[in-house]
Amino acid sequence: MRSRDSSRLATVVCAIGVLVAGCTPTLPDEPADPARPVPAPTPGVPTPGAAGAGDPYYPFDGNGGYDALGYEVSFSYDPASRRFEGDTTVTLRATQDLSRFNLDLRGFDVRSVEVAGRQAEFAREGEFELVVTPAQQITAGATVSARVRYDGTPLAAAPGSLGDNGWQQSASGGAFVLGEPHSAAFWFPVNETPRDKAKFTVNARVPSDWQVMSIGREQPGPTADGWTTTTWIEDRPVASYLTTVAIDRFTIERGALSDGTPVIDAYAPGAEQRRESVGRVPEVIEFLSGRFGPYPQGSAGGIHLQADIGFSLETQGRPTYAQWADLETVVHELAHQWYGNSVSVQSWADICLNECLASYAQWLWSEGTTGENLDDRYRLAVDRFRADNGFWAPKLYDMGPGKEFDGVYDKGILAVHALRRQLGEQRFDRVLRGWADHNLGGNASWPEFETFVGEIAGEDLRGFFDAWFRGTVIPAEEYLYPAPPR
């Protein structure tokens, strides 16, 4: 994610002609609806799945008791009436003997639920819990499908510090859904936690004078009775907040990377003028692949909105961009395809794994394309903020709920550059490439990253990591300006 507003770090580096973004989204707290008492699972005794996935920052997000393997979301949407008719099938594998389980869904009228082809009981609880009780209890290890039919007018997006997250209307009369951490549940029933990545397919039916964009590979479908269906298939695991759908009268350009990976850029009405500045996806991916390793996604491109929202988002393979997005935003969101999308956080406390590394990619791009001396840039920033206690106060790891993004876009960039100086070029390159490759398609935590880096460094880096990533004051000089590696 990258915000419209520049950070305090951007203020100083703008003096040397480069903009660094700083965004501080607030992840809204869930309603104070107490969790239902759920007994600890006992082998052979079916019990309800937990009403949350276990992230201590947002305990109501996601659900327990199963692993979502894939989503097939089919819907019809009429921009004129704003009516949405959804039919979603979730393939899940039980991780315990289940008497019931939850899905997350915001709004809509649920018409029916089937589990393993049989009608299931269902109820709505709290703000977004869809509680499903199957006709037959599910045995641990069993794989079943849960089909939910629902309809209505989608809920308006929920407010956040960077702008609304969820379902939104476009200026042209279309719609899009976007946000972090909550967006998927605004349009399909989902286990809404990055801990449970799954494959994703969407079959979108809209009036024929509109187009639909999403993530994954495109499969054009039929047109009948004035409606067109388009299918998008993402066969790599994806965290739910990295899915999206956008409906507009797009101008669409298609191409391919050198390895044949399809590139699709879609420009909403009014956004076509940005094609020269942001339509450089193959060039950016080639550059980043040289630093991070092979491109880890099966599709590429961008969805370019003509919407003055507060952020752009790294929706998987095909980021979604606000109208203010520039080339550095493209670099940032594409860097997330390695750090954040392929390697996803285990918990929101680990968000520096996404944002600190993707933000530093902007510096790498400047270094690689303009020859900028990043040591000079770093020293200028440190000198500018040396006495600014507020700049150093945010923690970069385990910062607390609602504070996840406070420092990752400015202090986080400096921390990664200091790590580069601590490790030296060769070992730093091994970290960038090795971390993405070692965790390809999975989840990881910040403590795991520290262990990984320490093994490559061959030395104890606890002092460095504590000073930069857990500290709330300016690091000591030995960590601000590490000695050259031995």
Side-chain angles (χ1 to χ4, degrees):
M1 181 183 284
R2 189 173 190 247
S3 79
R4 166 179 49 205
D5 301 322
S6 57
S7 67
R8 291 182 295 173
L9 180 53
T11 303
V12 61
V13 297
C14 276
I16 54 177
V18 183
L19 175 65
V20 176
C23 64
T24 54
T26 298
L27 307 184
D29 290 326
E30 294 302 341
D33 178 21
R36 297 182 307 278
V38 177
T42 301
V45 179
T47 52
D55 188 326
Y57 283 16
Y58 300 96
F60 286 93
D61 285 6
N63 304 283
Y66 65 91
D67 174 21
L69 305 179
Y71 298 93
E72 183 164 359
V73 182
S74 299
F75 74 85
S76 296
Y77 180 74
D78 182 3
S81 66
R82 299 186 179 179
R83 180 168 177 78
F84 185 106
E85 297 182 1
D87 185 347
T88 292
T89 296
V90 184
T91 302
L92 58 90
R93 182 174 57 239
T95 56
Q96 66 180 70
D97 294 307
L98 277 175
S99 60
R100 73 183 187 203
F101 60 91
N102 291 15
L103 293 164
D104 300 324
L105 182 65
R106 298 174 184 268
F108 297 111
D109 295 317
V110 176
R111 300 303 180 185
S112 66
V113 179
E114 298 175 9
V115 177
R118 300 178 62 183
Q119 290 293 323
E121 295 181 5
F122 63 90
R124 308 299 292 270
E125 292 190 4
E127 191 173 338
F128 55 82
E129 299 285 358
L130 174 61
V131 183
V132 177
T133 303
Q136 183 174 345
Q137 295 168 337
I138 305 172
T139 304
T143 297
V144 299
S145 62
R147 183 179 183 182
V148 183
R149 295 181 178 91
Y150 54 104
D151 57 39
T153 301
L155 285 181
S161 63
L162 291 184
D164 290 346
N165 295 327
W167 190 271
Q168 302 187 52
Q169 303 300 310
S170 65
S172 61
F176 59 91
V177 61
L178 198 65
E180 181 181 7
H182 307 126
S183 60
F186 281 88
W187 62 297
F188 66 94
V190 58
N191 194 23
E192 195 160 39
T193 170
R195 295 184 176 193
D196 194 3
K197 299 166 72 169
K199 297 180 179 181
F200 176 80
T201 296
V202 59
N203 306 297
R205 180 176 175 268
V206 297
S208 298
D209 55 341
W210 296 86
Q211 294 85 42
V212 175
M213 293 296 300
S214 188
I215 64 171
R217 293 181 178 244
E218 178 187 29
Q219 289 188 354
T223 296
D225 301 323
W227 291 73
T228 298
T229 300
T230 305
T231 296
W232 297 87
I233 300 174
E234 175 53 84
D235 57 8
R236 287 166 168 77
V238 56
S240 61
Y241 77 92
L242 300 173
T243 65
T244 190
V245 67
I247 302 154
D248 218 318
R249 293 185 169 95
F250 290 109
T251 297
I252 299 176
E253 296 183 348
R254 294 176 172 85
L257 302 180
S258 59
D259 63 359
T261 300
V263 178
I264 303 178
D265 279 292
Y267 299 88
E272 303 92 340
Q273 60 190 1
R274 303 202 303 271
R275 282 182 286 186
E276 288 189 13
S277 61
V278 299
R280 297 167 63 181
V281 169
E283 176 188 354
V284 173
I285 288 178
E286 181 179 6
F287 173 83
L288 295 177
S289 296
R291 298 307 303 261
F292 307 153
Y295 182 62
Q297 307 301 341
S299 60
I303 303 170
H304 304 270
L305 304 175
Q306 188 64 6
D308 190 24
I309 55 177
F311 59 91
S312 296
L313 186 65
E314 60 272 18
T315 45
Q316 187 151 306
R318 191 166 294 110
T320 306
Y321 298 102
Q323 67 179 28
W324 48 264
D326 56 11
L327 182 58
E328 283 224 334
T329 306
V330 174
V331 173
H332 181 103
E333 306 305 347
L334 289 177
H336 274 308
Q337 304 310 311
W338 285 264
Y339 309 126
N341 294 23
S342 178
V343 186
S344 300
V345 295
Q346 179 67 16
S347 298
W348 289 107
D350 305 312
I351 197 64
C352 190
L353 290 174
N354 296 8
E355 301 301 344
C356 296
L357 293 173
S359 296
Y360 192 70
Q362 299 167 212
W363 279 33
L364 293 174
W365 171 263
S366 181
E367 178 185 51
T369 58
T370 71
E372 182 181 12
N373 187 311
L374 296 186
D375 285 339
D376 289 346
R377 184 173 180 174
Y378 174 83
R379 283 191 292 269
L380 177 63
V382 170
D383 290 346
R384 166 66 177 82
F385 295 109
R386 183 177 289 274
D388 185 346
N389 294 334
F391 180 87
W392 306 102
K395 292 183 178 182
L396 298 177
Y397 169 65
D398 201 14
M399 60 291 290
K403 301 178 181 179
E404 291 87 340
F405 297 84
D406 284 359
V408 291
Y409 298 93
D410 39 35
K411 177 183 174 182
I413 295 178
L414 299 188
V416 176
H417 190 74
L419 178 63
R420 181 179 180 178
R421 298 275 67 87
Q422 176 77 38
L423 297 175
E425 291 300 306
Q426 198 171 47
R427 291 188 291 186
F428 183 69
D429 285 345
R430 287 178 60 194
V431 166
L432 292 183
R433 291 174 177 272
W435 180 249
D437 180 66
H438 181 69
N439 298 285
L440 183 69
N443 295 75
S445 69
W446 181 260
E448 289 173 326
F449 179 75
E450 291 187 355
T451 299
F452 181 84
V453 174
E455 290 173 351
I456 288 177
E459 59 181 306
D460 186 350
L461 297 178
R462 282 178 295 180
F464 176 91
F465 282 120
D466 285 349
W468 272 105
F469 295 92
R470 294 175 176 82
T472 59
V473 297
I474 186 171
E477 289 294 312
E478 64 179 301
Y479 302 126
L480 276 178
Y481 296 103
R486 295 184 293 276

